[in-house]
Amino acid sequence: MTTQTAVATNTVTLTINGQAVTVEKGTLLIEAAKQAGVDVPHFCYHPKLKPDANCRMCLVEIEKAPKLQTSCNMPAAEGMVVSTNSPKVAEARAGVLEFILANHPLDCPICDKGGECHLQDEAHAYTPNYSKFGEPKRFFEKEYFGPLIDKEMTRCVQCLRCVRYCDEIVDSRALGSRDRGDLLQIGGLVNKELDCEFCGGCIQICPVGALTSRVAMYDYRPWQLKKIETICPHCADGCRLKVESRDNVVLRITSDAGRGRNNGDLCAKGYFGFDVVNRTDRVVKPLVRKARTLVETSWFETTALVASRFAAIKAQHGGSAIGGVISAQAPNEDLYLFQKFMRLVMGSPHVDSTARYGHHNTVAALRDVVGHGRMTASYEDVERAQALVVIGADLTETNPIVSYRVKSAVRARGATLVTIGRYGANHGSFVSNLVNRATHPLTTAPGQERAAVLGLIKALVESGRIDPRLAASSPHYVQRLSTLAGRLSWDDLAARAEVPRQAMETAAGMYAGAERAVILFGQDVIRSVGAADTIRVIADLAILAGKLNAPGCGVNPLCDESNEQGAVELGVAPDYLPGLALATDGAARQRLAAAWQDELPSDTGWTAMEMLEQARSGKLKALYLVGEDPFGNLPASAKVREALANLEFLVCQDVFRGPSAEVAHVCLPAASFAEKEASWTNHEGRVQKGKQALDLVGEAEADTTMFSEIARSMGYPLDYAGPREILMEAGRVAPAMTSKGANVHPGAVVAATLAEYVSGGYERDVERRFAPRPARAASSEYPFHLTLGQSLFRSGALTARSAALAKVPHQGKLLVHPDDAIKLGIANGATVRVRSAHGAASVVVRISPKARPGQVLFPEQYVEAVRDLVPIEIDPATRVPIFREAAVAIEKTAEA
Amino acid sequence: MALSEAGIGRIRELFSRYPDKRSAMLAALRIAQEEQGYLTEEAMGEIAVLLEQTPVQVYETATFYTMFSLQPLGKHVIQVCRTLSCALVGADGLVRYLEQTLGIKAGETTPDGLFSLKTVECLAACGAGPMMQINDDYYEYLTREKIDRILADLKRDGRSSLATGPFVIPLQMA
Amino acid sequence: MPNYEKILLKNMETPGYTGDLAAYERAGGYQAIRKVLKEYKPEQVIETVKKSGLRGRGGAGFPTGTKWGFIPKDPALTKYLCVNADESEPGTFKDRQLIDRDPHQMLEGTLIAAYAISAKVAYIYIRGEFALGARLLERAIVEARAKGYIGKNVFGSGIEIEIWVHRGAGAYICGEETALLESIEGKRGLPRAKPPFPAINGLYQKPTVVNNVETLSNLPHIIMRGPEWYAAIGTQKSPGMRIFSVSGHVKRPGNYEVPLGISLRELIDEHAGGVRDGHRIKAIIPGGASAAFFTPEHLDVKLDFESIAQAGSMLGSGGVTVMDETTCMVWAAYNLLGFFHHESCGKCTPCREGSAWLYHILERIEHGEGRPEDLAQMERLCGNIAGKTVCAFGDAEVAPILSTLKHFRDEYEAHIREHRCPIGEGVVALAAR
C-alpha cells in the first residue's frame, strides 16, 4: 500500500435539498444541514449535548432509507441524498407538533418564554391554524421549585435537555425525570425544591417555558430588552455574558452557546448575581465627610477637594506618603491608568492590587520559568487532555467553567483525573465535587500538597519516565533534580502527605503515560506559606515529564479574581512595572520613563499590607482605595480599622460603601462592570473586551474618568479619548496584553525563559523547595484544622450583596465529617462555636465527607467572625499575606 | 440509617458483578423496599451514596418501574392482570369482586394495612387466567371461591398454598 | 393431534423431570457446550448457527448467527451477552415455562452464545415479576457454578464465562434490547436512539448481543444434532420449531412447540383444542399484542415469518390470542391501548402523546361517546406514530387499532352511531374452570 493510493480523507460529500455539501466525517446530519445553511427544526437536539433523538422533530428523508431518520443522531455519509423539506417530512413535522401542542397549555400570555420560544416559532412555521385534539388536556399540579427557578410542567415538551445539561455539562445531576409515559415530568427530589448549583443552564437550554427564572418573573418580554455583551467580573474564568436590561435595570443575564471562553455556560454568580448592579443602595453621588458625616456633594467640589488634599500631602510629605490599592476585579484600563496615576501624578511607588493575596505567588514562581503567570494550556487543551492533575483546588467551587472542561474530559473522553488535595468525595450531593469524579484521588493532609507533588517527582525519576529529550538537552537539570528527589524518603513523604506511596507512584504513571496532560493548581497552593516554592516544584514535575511545553500539555494556575493577571502584568504592584518587568530593573525603568515621558518614583514601594502597617505608624498619610473594599477581606489581626482611621486622607472609590467608608473622607461613586466599556484578562491570559451594557447610574463615573479628572485638577492631565486608547497605550508598554488572534493561546510558554530556567535558573532555592513543608503542630486545645475556602455562590464582597444568590440553600455552612459529627454530638444544622487562638465565631454545621476527619471547611465571605479566627503570615519573598487556615476547637452550642 | 447493615452488605456484594456500581440500582431499590415496605427518601439517599449517584438519579429510576412504590403499601400487594388474554376470561369481573370484598378501589390499601389492590399489565400467565400476583407469588385459574380462600389464607397464615409453583401449561398429566 | 418431536419442551414433558442439573445431564445436557469448547472456534459456532437459519424468538426474528457476526472481532474489546428474559408481550408465556422447568437448557445455550461472541460475562435480564423464575435460575446457576460449568474456567477449558441474574422491576419496554441495556446499567429503561447499534455500542458502551430465552435454548440441540437437521425443520426461511403460547377463548390454552410453517388453524384446533364449545372464532392475534389482528379468513395462513407478514401481521413473540364472537373488537383495541398507554416509556413525542390520545378516543367510543370524526382521526394519528418513533413500540401500539379498523370498522361505526357498545360491556363472563 503506497501513500499515493491510500489517500485518507476525513470529509464526506452529500446532497441536502439538492445542494452538495462537504463536511468532516462524523458530522451529524443536522449539523451538516446547518453548514449548508439549512435549519432543521428541533427541540431535544443541542450542540453541547449527546444526541437523544426523542422529540422526533428533526426527522428527514434519506434516499433509499425505508423510514424517515432523525438527523440529530445520524452521521453524514458519502453520497447521502437528504431532503429536509419533502412532503413526507412536512407531514411528520406537523404530526410531531400536533402531538406536542395537544397537551400544551395556552400559556403564552403568562409565559416568560414568549417571544423566544422554540415551540411558538415552530408551530408558527409548520402547523395548521387549528387543533384537532378533542380530549381533556393532561395536567400537572404546579410544584414550588424554589425561589430562583420556576417549573411549569404542563408546558414541558419532555426533551430532557435540562436533565441532560445538568448531567453532561455540570455533572450536578440535580434534575431527573419522574414517572413515565405521558405522565413523565421533570423535577428534583420527589416534590421538593430544587437543590443544585443554580448555574441557570437548565433555564437557558429549555426550549419552552417549562423552566424559567423567578428573578424578574413576569416582568418583561424579551423584545423589550437591550442586550449587550460583556465579561463576567466574578472570577478568573472570564465568561462572556449578555446583560439584558430595560430602562437601565438589568432583568437577566444570558450567554450564547459558542460564544466566549465559556461556550455559553455560566455559574450561579454569573447567571443570578446580576441583581447587585440594580441595588438602590449603591453610591451614586460623591460623598464628602463634613462634620463627621458623609454628605452628598457636587462633583465639582469633590474633585477640587480630592485634588487639593492629595496635592497638599504630596507637597508636605512627598509622594511616598500616599498609597493606592485597587481591586484585581478592575478591568485593564482601570488598572493601567491607576498605576500610571499613582506613579506620575501622585509621584508614589506605593501601588498594589488584591492580586497580592495570592496571585503574586504564582507570578513570582512562574515568571522565570514560563515568562508569566498565565495558564500555559488553554481551556481546549484542558478538555482534550488525557490526564489531568488538579492540585490544591476545590475546583467546582472556585472556577466552575474550568471545572466543566475537566468534568467533560473525564466523562466524555475518559481522561484520567488525579486530585491532590484535602477534600474528600461526597457522593449524593447535588453540588458537583471534583473528587467524586477523580479516577485517582490523593487525599492529602492539609498543607501537604507539596509532599505529594514531590512524591510524584520521585516516582517519575525512579520509574525512569523523565522526558528523554530533556535528559539529552538539559542533563544538569535532570541530574540535580533527580538527586534531590532521590534524597527524599518515601516513608517521610507518605506520612506527611498521608497518601500511600503506591498511590503516588500510580498517579505519576498515569500522568507520565498520557500524551496530553495538564496540571492545574488552585488557591490551597497559591495562598499557602511557601507557595512560590510549591508552584515551582509543580513546574519542575511538568518539565521533567516533558509536559510543560509539549502540545496539549501545560501547567495552569487557577486564579481567583477576574483580572489578577492584568493587575500584575500592568504593573499594579510595587515590585513590578507594566510588562511584568521587575521594578528594580533599571533598563525597564528607563524604557517606561521614556514611554511616559517622565521619571518614575525612585523609592521602594510598599505592598498593600505594608501600606497598612505604615498607615498605623503614621508614615503613610493618604490612601486611595479603588474597587471593592480590599480591606474587608483581612482578619481583625491586621488591624485594618486602626490603620485607616490613622490616615489624614482616605478616598474610597467603589460601587457600594464598604466597611472602609466608615472612616473615609471621601467616597467616590464608581460605575459597575456593566457600565463601562472595558477589557479583562482571564487566567488563560486572554484579554477580552466588554461593551458598556448600561448607562451610568446617578452621578457615578467610570474609574478611568475619575482618575483623569483628579489628575487634571492636580495639574498633571492624563487624558484619553476613551478606553480603547488606554488599552492601546497599555499594549505598547506591556506587549503581552495585545491580542495575538483568537486561535493563538496567549499563555504559551516563552521558550527563551524556559531555556534559561533549565540551564541555570532552576538552581535558585532548589534545596528549599525540594524539602516538604513542615507538618502541622498537633494541638489538643485546637484539635481541628480549619480551611477557609470559597463558595460557588459567593466569590467576594460584590456577590455577597446579591439577594438572589443569598436564596441558594445550604451555603455558608461549616462542613464537618460524619465521624467527627458523631464524636462532637452534632447533627446537621446544629450551631457550633469555632474557637482559635485569635477569636471565636458561631456557625451552622453541614455534615459532609468532603471535609476529612480532623478538618473543617468554611467558605469566605459569609461570617466575618470566622475570618478573624485565622492568623496572618506574610511570605518574606513575595510579601503575600497568608490568612486561610487555623487550628480550631469546636463546641456544640445549639441543636438544629 | 434507613437501610440495615445486612441490606447494605447485600448491595455491596453486587458490585463485583458489574463494572459500574450504578448497575446495582434496581436490586438496591428492591432491598430497600423489602426492608421498609416502600421506598423512603432516606433510603434513596443512602442508596445514592452507596452507588455514587445523586438522590435524584435514584428517585427518577425508582419512579420508572411499576414494582417500586414511594407510598406505604399493604402487607399483601394484590396485583390483578387486566391485559387482553386475562380480560377475555373475566379479569375485569374479578377486579370488581376484589374491590367489593376488600372494600377498597384499585390503587388503594385496606385501612388495616393488610391488602393493597392494583391492576397490572400482562404477567406472562395468559393461558392460566384470570390471575393475580400477590407479593412474589402467582395465583392462577382464579374463581371467586379461590379468591376467597386465598384472602382467608393470607389473613390467617400470611401465605397460601394456592400459589403457583414452577410453571407449565398445559398441565401435565401426572 | 399431530405429533411433532419436541426439542425445547422435550425434557420437561418427561414425567418426573425435575429440571435440576443432575436431571438435565441425565437427559443429555451440557454435552453441547463441552463439544463446542473442545472442537469449535468462536467463529465456527457463529457459522454453525448461521447455517441452521435460527432466527430470534423474542419477536423481531432476526437471524441469530448474523446478529452474532456483527460483533467486532478485536480481542481487546470487552463484549457482553444479555439474555432477554423480560417476557412481557401480552399473550406470551413460553419463556416462563422454559426458565421454570428447564433452566439448564437455557444456561447451556447462554454459555454457547457467550463463547461464540467471546463474551466473558452474560447477564440474564429477567422481568421483576418472575420472582420464582429468578430463584430457580439462581439455584441452577449455583449448581452449575459448583461443578465449574460457569465461572473463571468453564469445563476446565481456560475460558471464563460468568452468568449473573439481573432482575427487572416492572417495565414492558425493558424487553426492547437497548432499553434492556439501560436497565442493566441501573437507569430508567428508555430505548436508545440508533445508530449507534448495540453490536458496536451496547452495554456500558461495549459490543453486546441480546438474545431471547427460547432462541438460546435451541443452541445445545443445534450443536448436538447439527445445523442441517435444524434447518430441515419448519420452512426454508423460517427453520426450526417454535413455542406458541395460545390463550383466550380456546379449550386448552398452553405452550405448544410445533414446526414453523403449520397453519394457524392446526395450532388452534388440533393443539389448543379449538374455540370453546358453543362459540365461533371472531378474531385472532397471531404474535403478541404488537401484531395486527387476523380474522377467521386467515386461519389457513402458515405460521412462519414470511407468510404471516405477507398476510398483514407478524409472527412476533408467538403469543396467539383467540377471541370468539362474545368479544367486542373496540373493547379489545381499547384494552390493548390501555396496556400500551401504561407501558409507554415517554421518551419520544409520537408514542408518549399518541398512546394517550388514542387511548382516550377508544375509551370514549367504547363508552358510547364516540364522534364521527374519531375513526379518521385515529388513522391519521396512527400514521404519525408508526415509523416515526425511537423504537418499535410505536409501530406496535397502532397495530391493534389499524387492524381492527380494517377488519371490523362496522363495529366502530355502530358504537359511534348508537352511542353504546352493541355487544354489551365487551367483557366475557367468568370462565368456568
Side-chain angles (χ1 to χ4, degrees):
Chain A
M1 185 174 75
T2 67
T3 43
Q4 281 171 294
T5 49
V7 178
T9 38
N10 47 14
T11 59
V12 296
T13 303
L14 62 155
T15 312
I16 300 182
N17 295 351
Q19 188 193 343
V21 56
T22 304
V23 296
E24 245 184 72
K25 243 194 207 147
T27 305
L28 298 167
L29 272 184
I30 195 169
E31 289 161 2
K34 186 142 199 216
Q35 286 178 37
V38 174
D39 270 326
V40 177
H42 55 272
F43 290 100
C44 69
Y45 162 74
H46 196 279
K48 284 189 199 168
L49 303 174
K50 287 199 296 248
D52 208 38
N54 67 53
C55 71
R56 316 309 283 175
M57 191 63 187
C58 70
L59 288 166
V60 296
E61 197 172 348
I62 304 180
E63 217 178 70
K64 295 196 215 124
K67 297 196 291 195
L68 297 179
Q69 178 67 40
T70 44
S71 52
C72 66
N73 75 322
M74 176 63 88
E78 181 70 34
M80 245 183 192
V81 179
V82 180
S83 167
T84 74
N85 52 15
S86 70
K88 256 202 216 163
V89 171
E91 197 194 334
R93 229 174 245 167
V96 170
L97 279 171
E98 179 177 29
F99 281 129
I100 294 178
L101 290 167
N103 280 315
H104 199 81
L106 273 166
D107 270 6
C108 296
I110 55 163
C111 174
D112 275 350
K113 200 76 178 180
E116 50 187 10
C117 170
H118 265 60
L119 186 57
Q120 274 185 342
D121 294 345
E122 295 183 10
H124 184 263
Y126 299 115
T127 59
N129 299 341
Y130 52 90
S131 166
K132 292 200 178 126
F133 181 71
E135 318 303 323
K137 279 191 194 279
R138 173 221 58 218
F139 172 77
F140 288 114
E141 286 291 337
K142 175 118 183 185
E143 286 170 0
Y144 181 63
F145 212 29
L148 293 174
I149 302 183
D150 197 65
K151 164 169 92 111
E152 179 56 79
M153 280 297 107
T154 50
R155 299 176 190 161
C156 176
V157 297
Q158 290 90 8
C159 65
L160 297 187
R161 269 182 172 185
C162 55
V163 175
R164 290 148 60 209
Y165 183 89
C166 194
D167 176 10
E168 294 172 35
I169 305 292
V170 185
D171 199 26
S172 177
R173 293 164 284 140
L175 286 172
S177 322
R178 179 197 313 177
D179 301 330
R180 65 185 193 208
D182 64 330
L183 291 177
L184 193 157
Q185 60 169 311
I186 307 301
L189 187 58
V190 195
N191 55 357
K192 298 243 157 45
E193 284 178 39
L194 183 59
D195 180 8
C196 64
E197 293 196 3
F198 293 97
C199 67
C202 57
I203 297 173
Q204 289 207 82
I205 212 168
C206 179
V208 296
L211 289 171
T212 54
S213 167
R214 284 186 75 93
V215 181
M217 194 175 175
Y218 302 140
D219 275 357
Y220 64 90
R221 283 298 178 185
W223 58 82
Q224 299 171 334
L225 302 174
K226 182 165 131 185
K227 306 177 191 200
I228 300 191
E229 280 192 326
T230 184
I231 304 295
C232 181
H234 298 308
C235 86
D237 285 347
C239 299
R240 186 165 282 290
L241 44 75
K242 218 187 271 178
V243 175
E244 305 203 12
S245 64
R246 185 187 58 197
D247 299 334
N248 221 41
V249 174
V250 182
L251 290 169
R252 68 177 188 188
I253 301 286
T254 56
S255 186
D256 296 338
R259 297 283 298 151
R261 304 307 296 142
N262 55 319
N263 192 20
D265 302 320
L266 291 173
C267 80
K269 300 185 291 291
Y271 189 78
F272 282 112
F274 64 87
D275 59 334
V276 191
V277 161
N278 292 334
R279 288 183 72 117
T280 50
D281 59 347
R282 287 176 58 171
V283 187
V284 295
K285 278 183 145 68
L287 299 169
V288 174
R289 194 172 295 280
K290 295 174 178 165
R292 305 219 270 173
T293 340
L294 285 171
V295 167
E296 288 180 355
T297 310
S298 72
W299 265 115
F300 183 71
E301 191 186 323
T302 309
T303 315
L305 171 71
V306 172
S308 69
R309 293 289 282 128
F310 276 138
I313 293 174
K314 181 180 174 187
Q316 192 181 357
H317 305 281
S320 295
I322 306 174
V325 180
I326 185 170
S327 164
Q329 278 191 23
N332 294 318
E333 293 77 5
D334 297 12
L335 292 167
Y336 176 74
L337 195 51
F338 185 65
Q339 57 85 35
K340 187 177 185 189
F341 173 87
M342 290 302 299
R343 288 179 161 122
L344 296 186
V345 179
M346 302 287 215
S348 166
H350 312 308
V351 64
D352 205 5
S353 80
T354 53
R356 183 64 51 187
Y357 294 142
H359 187 53
H360 272 278
N361 279 332
T362 302
V363 178
L366 294 180
R367 185 176 163 276
D368 292 334
V369 182
V370 302
H372 51 71
R374 301 171 170 188
M375 290 186 162
T376 63
S378 68
Y379 290 174
E380 285 75 19
D381 291 329
V382 170
E383 194 168 350
R384 286 192 296 250
Q386 293 153 323
L388 290 155
V389 183
V390 178
I391 306 174
D394 191 4
L395 187 60
T396 49
E397 300 283 328
T398 59
N399 300 92
I401 268 55
V402 174
S403 82
Y404 295 162
R405 304 290 192 140
V406 171
K407 285 181 278 197
S408 172
V410 175
R411 293 191 64 199
R413 291 167 202 254
T416 312
L417 173 60
V418 176
T419 52
I420 295 177
R422 65 198 68 181
Y423 308 104
N426 65 337
H427 293 286
S429 164
F430 293 120
V431 178
S432 61
N433 175 1
L434 209 62
V435 183
N436 289 1
R437 281 295 168 203
T439 53
H440 297 76
L442 270 54
T443 315
T444 53
Q448 291 298 335
E449 291 83 2
R450 191 195 299 178
V453 176
L454 289 171
L456 262 62
I457 293 181
K458 188 171 167 69
L460 206 73
V461 168
E462 288 177 4
S463 60
R465 300 192 80 160
I466 295 186
D467 176 27
R469 276 165 309 177
L470 180 78
S473 63
S474 309
H476 291 289
Y477 174 76
V478 170
Q479 262 165 40
R480 183 78 164 106
L481 266 55
S482 299
T483 311
L484 287 166
R487 284 197 213 139
L488 296 164
S489 139
W490 272 119
D491 288 340
D492 182 60
L493 287 176
R496 264 182 223 274
E498 291 176 21
V499 175
R501 168 181 173 173
Q502 171 147 71
M504 292 191 264
E505 287 174 329
T506 309
M510 300 307 301
Y511 175 62
E515 199 186 307
R516 297 188 304 277
V518 178
I519 301 179
L520 303 104
F521 61 91
Q523 298 293 308
D524 291 346
V525 167
I526 294 170
R527 290 177 63 191
S528 67
V529 175
D533 282 348
T534 308
I535 297 168
R536 265 231 187 153
V537 165
I538 292 173
D540 286 328
L541 168 62
I543 297 171
L544 285 170
K547 297 189 199 303
L548 178 60
N549 216 6
C553 298
V555 168
N556 284 7
L558 294 157
C559 295
D560 178 11
E561 292 183 294
S562 51
N563 209 356
E564 289 176 341
Q565 294 288 346
V568 183
E569 291 184 12
L570 289 167
V572 188
D575 34 359
Y576 292 102
L577 301 175
L580 259 196
L582 293 177
T584 47
D585 180 343
R589 295 177 72 84
Q590 267 181 25
R591 277 197 306 274
L592 187 59
W596 284 353
Q597 298 181 336
D598 197 356
E599 289 305 311
L600 306 180
S602 52
D603 290 349
T604 311
W606 296 325
T607 65
M609 298 303 293
E610 288 158 357
M611 284 187 235
L612 276 181
E613 214 186 288
Q614 299 301 344
R616 268 195 299 275
S617 77
K619 290 222 187 70
L620 190 76
K621 305 282 186 207
L623 187 58
Y624 191 0
L625 296 178
V626 180
E628 278 188 17
D629 185 343
F631 296 114
N633 291 332
L634 288 168
S637 54
K639 302 214 190 81
V640 177
R641 209 171 188 291
E642 202 186 290
L644 296 181
N646 207 27
L647 292 164
E648 277 184 24
F649 190 53
L650 171 64
V651 178
C652 292
Q653 180 170 307
D654 206 340
V655 182
F656 291 96
R657 280 165 66 165
S660 302
E662 286 170 48
V663 293
H665 298 92
V666 176
C667 289
L668 298 175
S672 78
F673 75 97
E675 294 139 26
K676 28 192 180 185
E677 183 187 330
S679 68
W680 290 262
T681 311
N682 77 349
H683 43 192
E684 286 177 296
R686 230 168 258 274
V687 175
Q688 302 190 93
K689 298 189 183 157
K691 299 206 179 74
Q692 182 172 353
L694 299 170
D695 297 332
L696 293 169
V697 173
E699 295 182 42
E701 285 290 351
D703 297 80
T704 46
T705 307
M706 289 188 267
F707 301 150
S708 294
E709 290 294 310
I710 298 171
R712 183 153 2 101
S713 295
M714 287 176 74
Y716 196 131
L718 288 179
D719 290 328
Y720 294 85
R724 223 169 289 182
E725 208 191 313
I726 302 176
L727 190 62
M728 267 171 54
E729 181 183 308
R732 284 196 287 273
V733 297
M737 299 295 291
T738 54
S739 172
K740 291 168 183 46
N743 290 329
V744 179
H745 176 53
V749 174
V750 178
T753 311
L754 182 59
E756 250 188 72
Y757 178 74
V758 296
S759 62
Y762 68 87
E763 185 59 39
R764 180 156 68 88
D765 300 323
V766 70
E767 303 234 358
R768 190 181 69 195
R769 73 174 180 272
F770 263 77
R773 291 191 52 213
R776 272 188 300 147
S779 160
S780 53
E781 198 192 341
Y782 302 111
F784 285 92
H785 178 95
L786 166 71
T787 304
L788 291 184
Q790 187 176 304
S791 161
L792 180 56
F793 307 112
R794 194 174 286 195
S795 63
L798 199 60
T799 41
R801 291 177 191 270
S802 165
L805 288 174
K807 295 185 182 149
V808 171
H810 305 312
Q811 42 176 334
K813 305 277 193 293
L814 184 76
L815 295 187
V816 178
H817 190 271
D819 295 346
D820 289 337
I822 293 175
K823 285 196 208 125
L824 292 165
I826 50 183
N828 243 336
T831 307
V832 296
R833 205 166 94 99
V834 184
R835 224 174 11 93
S836 79
H838 304 271
S842 196
V843 291
V844 177
V845 164
R846 184 156 200 229
I847 297 180
S848 167
K850 184 171 175 181
R852 301 306 300 147
Q855 292 184 57
V856 290
L857 307 171
F858 196 80
E860 293 178 316
Q861 299 293 340
Y862 281 90
V863 176
E864 241 182 73
V866 172
R867 201 187 58 217
D868 296 339
L869 293 174
V870 297
I872 306 182
E873 199 180 327
I874 303 197
D875 188 310
T878 60
R879 303 193 271 170
V880 169
I882 304 298
F883 48 97
R884 220 159 163 271
E885 303 182 31
V888 298
I890 301 180
E891 295 137 29
K892 167 164 124 174
T893 52
E895 298 298 340
Chain B
M1 289 289 284
L3 295 168
S4 71
E5 284 300 321
I8 294 176
R10 283 168 62 199
I11 296 172
R12 286 220 173 99
E13 265 168 36
L14 295 168
F15 290 160
S16 60
R17 300 186 179 192
Y18 308 98
D20 187 344
K21 287 188 172 141
R22 189 176 187 170
S23 289
M25 179 75 77
L26 266 58
L29 287 167
R30 202 181 339 262
I31 289 170
Q33 181 157 305
E34 271 166 21
E35 289 192 348
Q36 299 193 290
Y38 67 109
L39 290 171
T40 61
E41 245 181 82
E42 210 194 331
M44 289 192 281
E46 289 173 19
I47 293 175
V49 175
L50 268 174
L51 270 53
E52 297 177 8
Q53 306 295 306
T54 64
V56 164
Q57 287 177 301
V58 178
Y59 171 67
E60 70 165 3
T61 311
T63 60
F64 183 81
Y65 296 95
T66 321
M67 291 176 75
F68 295 130
S69 174
L70 274 84
Q71 305 302 327
L73 291 170
K75 185 159 172 232
H76 304 286
V77 183
I78 304 172
Q79 301 152 81
V80 186
C81 172
R82 46 86 48 209
T83 317
L84 190 62
S85 293
C86 282
L88 285 171
V89 292
D92 292 350
L94 280 184
V95 172
R96 279 198 295 279
Y97 181 67
L98 277 162
E99 287 181 325
Q100 275 164 31
T101 311
L102 296 170
I104 53 173
K105 291 250 165 287
E108 297 174 353
T109 305
T110 54
D112 60 2
L114 213 57
F115 296 109
S116 289
L117 179 62
K118 289 167 72 176
T119 55
V120 295
E121 303 298 333
C122 182
L123 288 170
C126 321
M131 56 81 62
M132 62 190 176
Q133 181 171 18
I134 304 185
N135 294 1
D136 276 356
D137 298 316
Y138 275 28
Y139 296 89
E140 297 167 279
Y141 296 111
L142 291 176
T143 61
R144 292 186 177 199
E145 295 72 38
K146 255 192 174 166
I147 288 178
D148 290 337
R149 243 192 77 186
I150 293 164
L151 292 179
D153 286 348
L154 292 173
K155 242 194 217 147
R156 190 187 58 240
D157 307 326
R159 46 174 298 279
S160 174
S161 58
L162 287 175
T164 311
F167 176 69
V168 66
I169 178 175
L171 293 174
Q172 279 182 269
M173 305 302 127
Chain C
M1 175 172 106
N3 213 344
Y4 301 112
E5 189 203 337
K6 309 276 169 60
I7 305 173
L8 303 178
L9 301 184
K10 184 173 181 178
N11 289 346
M12 65 185 82
E13 294 197 343
T14 314
Y17 183 72
T18 56
D20 62 21
L21 192 144
Y24 182 65
E25 283 194 308
R26 273 198 303 274
Y30 286 119
Q31 294 308 311
I33 179 65
R34 281 191 170 93
K35 182 171 169 162
V36 160
L37 288 168
K38 236 198 312 181
E39 299 170 28
Y40 290 61
K41 286 211 197 59
E43 308 85 77
Q44 290 168 309
V45 183
I46 299 178
E47 277 316 301
T48 306
V49 172
K50 270 189 186 163
K51 240 202 254 172
S52 73
L54 174 67
R55 294 170 68 162
R57 296 290 191 254
F62 196 86
T64 308
T66 310
K67 191 191 253 192
W68 289 357
F70 290 147
I71 296 291
K73 301 287 184 289
D74 181 358
L77 292 169
T78 308
K79 294 134 188 137
Y80 291 102
L81 175 70
C82 294
V83 181
N84 191 340
D86 191 59
E87 185 164 68
S88 307
E89 187 72 42
T92 319
F93 44 95
K94 60 184 176 74
D95 294 339
R96 179 169 161 228
Q97 183 160 334
L98 288 169
I99 290 169
D100 280 9
R101 290 275 164 179
D102 208 357
H104 285 284
Q105 180 177 239
M106 185 195 93
L107 287 178
E108 188 177 8
T110 305
L111 289 167
I112 294 171
Y115 177 75
I117 62 166
S118 304
K120 291 210 182 77
V121 181
Y123 297 105
I124 302 175
Y125 187 91
I126 182 169
R127 65 178 292 181
E129 296 89 341
F130 281 178
L132 176 60
R135 278 204 302 276
L136 294 170
L137 259 181
E138 296 267 24
R139 195 171 70 187
I141 290 178
V142 165
E143 289 184 305
R145 203 184 282 285
K147 291 195 82 172
Y149 294 179
I150 297 175
K152 297 253 180 286
N153 187 6
V154 304
F155 295 91
S157 66
I159 307 274
E160 176 182 352
I161 302 178
E162 292 286 355
I163 304 183
W164 303 111
V165 171
H166 185 105
R167 290 184 64 192
Y172 161 79
I173 192 61
C174 287
E176 197 276 346
E177 67 176 0
T178 58
L180 187 150
L181 300 178
E182 291 285 294
S183 192
I184 294 182
E185 291 184 9
K187 306 176 195 156
R188 294 163 61 87
L190 300 182
R192 298 177 183 170
K194 296 169 272 276
F197 292 89
I200 309 299
N201 200 316
L203 188 61
Y204 311 117
Q205 313 303 316
K206 305 283 191 283
T208 307
V209 160
V210 181
N211 280 141
N212 171 266
V213 168
E214 188 187 346
T215 313
L216 292 172
S217 301
N218 276 295
L219 295 176
H221 306 280
I222 293 176
I223 296 293
M224 290 311 289
R225 299 171 73 170
E228 298 84 0
W229 157 81
Y230 193 81
I233 307 171
T235 73
Q236 205 216 3
K237 284 210 184 124
S238 302
M241 306 276 281
R242 207 259 136 93
I243 305 176
F244 287 93
S245 303
V246 186
S247 66
H249 294 152
V250 288
K251 290 222 272 280
R252 294 195 327 136
N255 283 319
Y256 296 100
E257 188 178 8
V258 296
L260 283 164
I262 67 162
S263 70
L264 184 55
R265 189 189 301 278
E266 183 190 320
L267 177 67
I268 294 174
D269 287 346
E270 302 190 40
H271 296 270
V275 72
R276 48 186 189 164
D277 288 334
H279 294 278
R280 359 170 265 287
I281 297 181
K282 180 172 178 187
I284 315 110
I285 305 178
S290 314
F293 282 42
F294 272 167
T295 67
E297 280 174 19
H298 298 98
L299 279 170
D300 291 307
V301 171
K302 303 265 185 281
L303 292 172
D304 61 72
F305 289 101
E306 285 65 39
S307 304
I308 300 198
Q310 211 165 28
S313 184
M314 67 179 198
L315 190 70
S317 65
V320 175
T321 309
V322 176
M323 290 162 269
D324 66 26
E325 82 289 352
T326 62
T327 315
C328 167
M329 290 296 109
V330 176
W331 169 88
Y334 166 51
N335 177 290
L336 288 175
L337 258 294
F339 166 79
F340 286 113
H341 177 219
H342 184 257
E343 298 292 343
S344 170
C345 73
K347 175 166 180 158
C348 69
T349 309
C351 171
R352 179 184 66 242
E353 308 292 336
S355 65
W357 195 340
L358 289 168
Y359 174 73
H360 287 308
I361 296 177
L362 283 168
E363 187 176 42
R364 271 194 298 104
I365 297 176
E366 173 59 13
H367 291 107
E369 293 166 31
R371 304 172 198 139
E373 59 271 18
D374 282 340
L375 302 187
Q377 174 96 303
M378 283 201 292
E379 281 166 334
R380 195 175 60 81
L381 293 176
C382 288
N384 281 335
I385 298 171
K388 312 243 166 79
T389 51
V390 172
C391 77
F393 190 103
D395 306 293
E397 70 189 353
V398 305
I401 299 179
L402 290 176
S403 58
T404 50
L405 274 173
K406 178 172 171 192
H407 298 298
F408 303 98
R409 199 183 190 88
D410 51 319
E411 276 193 57
Y412 282 92
E413 286 165 351
H415 278 72
I416 294 174
R417 196 175 51 240
E418 300 173 30
H419 297 294
R420 67 184 187 95
C421 172
I423 285 185
E425 287 183 38
V427 173
V428 173
L430 252 185
R433 293 204 191 273

